[in-house]
């Protein structure tokens, strides 16, 4: 497969879940598809991604993906079709010795396990994810680290109810020995449409500045690495962000990847631009990936988003570096304003500031 760049395909292979998190993006459930229809979707995705000449990473998620008995059968199918990178996104509570054995057998294509935590202690995490979730998730993550050579990530959604726990979460990640910490902002959609928990621009600034500082400290000592290739991180050190951008180095900050290097499939085969941007584009059981990718108006809106952005984005100096910002997180703007062309509501930069 000829390749020129990476591409993340997030595929929610089930909506079933053994947890009921307060900030979940889903507020309704879809029926799981039979395995044969999963292969139909896989085929159109793989053929389309070949045409785009990208290196795909299939991020298999849910719900809770380990609830599907045919999860590893699907991984084997993807591998047989040439997919060499698979990420599993899990709540970590269902890890068993048999699952560990399968993870080792299927490495590759499985490269990374991402476990969701929303607190560094049970009192914080379990108030969001349910009683007992913390102990089971940490136990599962510990087993993966001890018994496999897979890369591991903790995913943490921060908001008003758990933001004070971020330093302790970083310490926990270091203690456990995870490779990456992936801290993301709450997107107010689905069950998680908790507008009272959305942080102010100033609170967001303080957290991202702290994370940038901690990442610099951690980089001198090894792991974990805090992922900073996310919207608004460029504002933590604009000169460094632009330098890296121009030098094609690892990004400090990143623009929304919708319609460029990401695509999402829901449990019933519905395609959406991003898991956190719930706008139906069509069904991959009825249309090909390429038909949706090249023909849907919403995706073309994102490809020309620079000309559609509203408010302060129109006069922002960072628009000359579209790959760094380009309006910030469209999903948060959509959840907050019901308009993905509004500026990111947590952006603290005003044109004319910072030089």
């Amino acid at each position: 497969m000829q390749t020129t760049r990476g591409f993340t395909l997030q595929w929610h292979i089930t909506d079933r879940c053994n947890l009921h998190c307060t900030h979940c993006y889903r507020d309704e459930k879809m029926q799981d598809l039979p395995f044969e229809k999963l292969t139909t979707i896989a085929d159109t995705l793989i053929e389309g991604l070949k045409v785009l000449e990208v290196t795909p990473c299939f991020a298999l998620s849910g719900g809770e993906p380990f609830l599907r008995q045919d999860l590893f059968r699907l991984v084997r199918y993807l591998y047989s079709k040439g997919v060499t990178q698979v990420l599993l996104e899990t709540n970590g509570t269902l890890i068993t010795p048999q699952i560990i054995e399968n993870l080792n057998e299927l490495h590759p294509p499985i490269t990374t396990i991402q476990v969701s935590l929303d607190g560094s202690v049970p009192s914080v995490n379990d108030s969001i994810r349910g009683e007992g979730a913390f102990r089971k998730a940490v136990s599962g993550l510990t087993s993966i680290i001890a018994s496999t050579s897979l890369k591991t990530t903790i995913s943490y959604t921060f908001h008003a109810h758990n933001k004070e726990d971020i330093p302790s979460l970083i310490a926990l990640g270091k203690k456990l020995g995870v490779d990456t910490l992936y801290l993301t902002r709450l997107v107010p959609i689905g069950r998680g449409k908790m507008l009272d928990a959305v942080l102010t621009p100033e609170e967001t600034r303080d957290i991202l500045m702290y994370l940038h500082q901690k990442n610099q400290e951690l980089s001198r000592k090894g792991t974990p690495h805090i992922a900073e290739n996310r919207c608004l991180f460029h504002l933590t050190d604009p000169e460094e962000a632009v330098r890296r951008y121009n030098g094609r180095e690892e990004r400090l900050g990143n623009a929304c990847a919708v319609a460029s290097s990401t695509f999402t499939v829901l449990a019933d085969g519905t395609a959406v631009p991003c898991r956190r941007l719930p706008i139906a584009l069509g069904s991959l059981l009825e249309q090909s990936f390429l038909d949706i990718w090249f023909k849907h108006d919403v995706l073309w809106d994102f490809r020309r988003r620079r000309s559609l952005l509203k408010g302060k984005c129109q006069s922002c100096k960072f628009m000359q570096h579209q790959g760094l910002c380009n309006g910030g997180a469209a999903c948060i703007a959509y959840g907050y304003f019901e308009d993905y062309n509004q500026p990111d509501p947590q952006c603290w930069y005003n044109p004319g500031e910072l030089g």
Side-chain angles (χ1 to χ4, degrees), residues 302-319:
F302 274 86
R303 293 175 188 132
R304 57 191 179 95
R305 192 173 182 226
R306 183 176 186 179
S307 65
L308 300 176
L309 283 166
K310 301 172 181 178
K312 65 182 182 180
C313 293
Q314 294 176 335
S315 56
C316 180
K317 70 177 184 178
F318 291 108
M319 289 306 295

Side-chain angles (χ1 to χ4, degrees), residues 234 237-248 252 318 321 324:
H234 68 289
D237 189 341
E239 290 186 4
E240 173 68 6
V242 172
R243 185 193 68 77
R244 292 194 204 176
Y245 177 81
N246 290 334
R248 298 182 181 275
L252 174 59
F318 291 108
H321 307 293
L324 273 184

Side-chain angles (χ1 to χ4, degrees), residues 7 21 39 45 60 64 66 71 83 113 132 153-154 158 176 204 235 248-249 270 280 287 296 309 312-313 322 340:
F7 192 103
C21 303
T39 61
L45 291 170
L60 303 183
E64 171 48 51
F66 286 118
L71 167 62
V83 175
I113 303 290
T153 298
I154 289 176
F158 63 86
L176 293 175
T204 303
L235 295 177
R248 298 182 181 275
E249 300 176 34
T270 298
Q287 300 161 267
H296 203 285
L309 283 166
K312 65 182 182 180
C313 293
Q322 289 189 68
Y340 51 72

